[in-house]
């Protein structure tokens, strides 16, 4: 007997609203992203829950937590909307041009270079849409598990999920301080010198923190962590305010500005990490996604490598 569940899962628009609520984590932010009122989003989510006969999410400490049924519906919504994307692209290709939507989920530090990668691609295919989600490592892993996006950018891809990936770019992690900080005046610095200073660390779940912790384990060293911050920009401003030193990706300095900051010549640094483009083995790749993958392996990679060389991040 054929399932009649499709008669209850709601309209396409409701599925779009569902995904926005899931991705944004709140009714307010979903409404803002969709240019709808909060009551409209709430009503549509209520109708969808009634159609499913079960709650799609609950509120815990003012946060939306999706139920198992809600998460299954999110997966289905991704598949349904993705089928329309493929249809749009197929029609576009028949007409002789590329169209459709490219979905990317990237960890926060990679947000500095991703726009430089997308720019030339959008110039080549001006009729496509880009959906870019920026989160920490754990948030991006959750999206990967649910197969929401075409590609994911990590410095340390998860090893417990069936994926394919390409190593895309070097990601050197460097020590930084304010140019007037006493340590900035010293030469021949070592990790031991770094461990004596107040240190500002990224939050748990971030790729930068993961890389630093693995590096410290290898060198059997501990840092004098005084603050834990969820933002690269906030860390840079704290360092500029002479409240401590930190280790960040060189990309945060290259693209995000470094007024008043200097890179410390620590003997054991940089931490030589890499950026990876990752995609799910179980998700069928669209024509647009395949085109973008070719772009990042050729023009995109060479473009960013040249920029890194010109900024003395890579050797010539």
């Amino acid at each position: 007997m054929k399932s009649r569940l499709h008669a209850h899962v709601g309209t396409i628009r409701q599925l779009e609203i569902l995904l926005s609520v899931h991705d944004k984590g709140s009714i307010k932010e979903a409404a803002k992203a969709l240019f709808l009122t909060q009551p409209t989003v709430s009503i549509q989510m209520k109708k969808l829950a009634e159609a499913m006969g079960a709650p799609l999410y609950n509120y815990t400490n003012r946060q939306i937590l999706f139920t198992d049924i809600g998460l299954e519906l999110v997966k289905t919504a991704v598949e349904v909307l993705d089928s329309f994307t493929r249809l749009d692209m197929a029609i576009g290709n028949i007409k002789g041009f590329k169209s459709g939507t490219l979905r990317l989920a990237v960890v926060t530090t990679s947000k500095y270079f991703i726009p430089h990668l997308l720019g030339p691609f959008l110039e080549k295919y001006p009729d496509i849409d880009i959906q870019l989600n920026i989160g920490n490592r754990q948030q991006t892993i959750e999206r990967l598990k649910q197969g929401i996006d075409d590609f994911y950018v990590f410095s340390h891809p998860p090893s417990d999920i069936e994926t394919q990936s390409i190593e895309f770019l070097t990601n050197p992690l460097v020590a930084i301080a304010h140019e007037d900080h006493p340590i900035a005046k010293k030469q021949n610095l070592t990790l031991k010198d770094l461990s004596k200073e107040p240190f500002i660390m990224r939050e748990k779940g971030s790729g930068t923190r993961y890389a630093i912790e693995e590096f410290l384990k290898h060198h059997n060293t501990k840092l004098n962590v005084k603050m834990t911050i969820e933002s690269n920009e906030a860390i840079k401003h704290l360092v500029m305010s002479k409240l401590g030193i930190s280790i960040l990706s060189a990309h945060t300095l290259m693209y995000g500005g470094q007024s008043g900051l200097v890179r410390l010549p620590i003997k054991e640094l940089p931490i030589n990490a890499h950026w990876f483009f990752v995609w799910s083995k179980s998700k069928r790749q669209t024509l647009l996604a395949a085109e973008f993958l070719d772009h990042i392996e050729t023009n995109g990679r060479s473009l960013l490598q040249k920029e890194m060389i010109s900024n003395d991040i890579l050797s010539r």
Side-chain angles (χ1 to χ4, degrees), residues 94-131:
I94 290 171
K95 291 180 178 179
F97 60 88
K98 298 289 181 181
S99 63
T101 301
L102 181 70
R103 295 182 176 88
L104 304 174
V106 307
V107 294
T108 51
T109 302
S110 68
K111 70 181 181 182
Y112 296 101
F113 66 79
I114 286 296
H116 297 261
L117 188 62
L118 291 174
F121 191 69
L122 285 169
E123 286 181 10
K124 187 176 181 180
Y125 302 113
D127 295 304
I128 69 170
D129 296 320
I130 302 289
Q131 290 186 5

Side-chain angles (χ1 to χ4, degrees), residues 20-34:
S20 186
V21 171
H22 176 265
D23 292 351
K24 300 299 182 182
S26 77
I27 298 294
K28 179 181 178 181
E29 292 303 317
K32 188 186 301 183
L34 295 170

Side-chain angles (χ1 to χ4, degrees), residues 33-151:
L34 295 170
F35 301 101
L36 298 173
T37 65
Q38 291 185 49
T40 297
V41 172
S42 297
I43 289 170
Q44 293 305 314
M45 288 298 90
K46 183 179 179 181
K47 287 182 178 179
L48 195 51
E50 289 173 350
M52 294 299 295
L56 303 180
Y57 50 78
N58 297 306
Y59 284 96
T60 302
N61 296 327
R62 296 184 179 181
Q63 289 186 324
I64 288 180
L65 294 179
F66 273 70
T67 63
D68 290 342
I69 290 176
L71 290 174
E72 286 300 319
L73 186 55
V74 165
K75 291 180 182 178
T76 298
V78 169
E79 294 171 1
V80 170
L81 295 175
D82 195 44
S83 68
F84 280 97
T85 298
R86 290 195 298 272
L87 175 61
D88 185 32
M89 289 179 58
I91 293 172
N93 279 285
I94 290 171
K95 291 180 178 179
F97 60 88
K98 298 289 181 181
S99 63
T101 301
L102 181 70
R103 295 182 176 88
L104 304 174
V106 307
V107 294
T108 51
T109 302
S110 68
K111 70 181 181 182
Y112 296 101
F113 66 79
I114 286 296
H116 297 261
L117 188 62
L118 291 174
F121 191 69
L122 285 169
E123 286 181 10
K124 187 176 181 180
Y125 302 113
D127 295 304
I128 69 170
D129 296 320
I130 302 289
Q131 290 186 5
L132 177 63
N133 184 276
I134 301 171
N136 67 22
R137 184 172 186 269
Q138 193 55 48
Q139 291 167 336
T140 308
I141 287 174
E142 289 303 314
R143 293 181 68 89
L144 172 58
K145 287 179 178 178
Q146 295 170 38
I148 295 174
D149 308 280
D150 295 303
F151 295 106

Side-chain angles (χ1 to χ4, degrees), residues 1 7 15 22 43 45 48 62 68 72 81 91 102 116 121 169 174 185 188 201 227 233 244 249 253 256 261 298:
M1 183 175 67
L15 296 182
H22 176 265
I43 289 170
M45 288 298 90
L48 195 51
R62 296 184 179 181
D68 290 342
E72 286 300 319
L81 295 175
I91 293 172
L102 181 70
H116 297 261
F121 191 69
L169 197 66
V174 300
K185 312 297 182 183
N188 302 317
M201 178 72 89
M227 284 183 275
E233 292 306 306
S249 168
L253 305 179
L261 299 178
T298 54

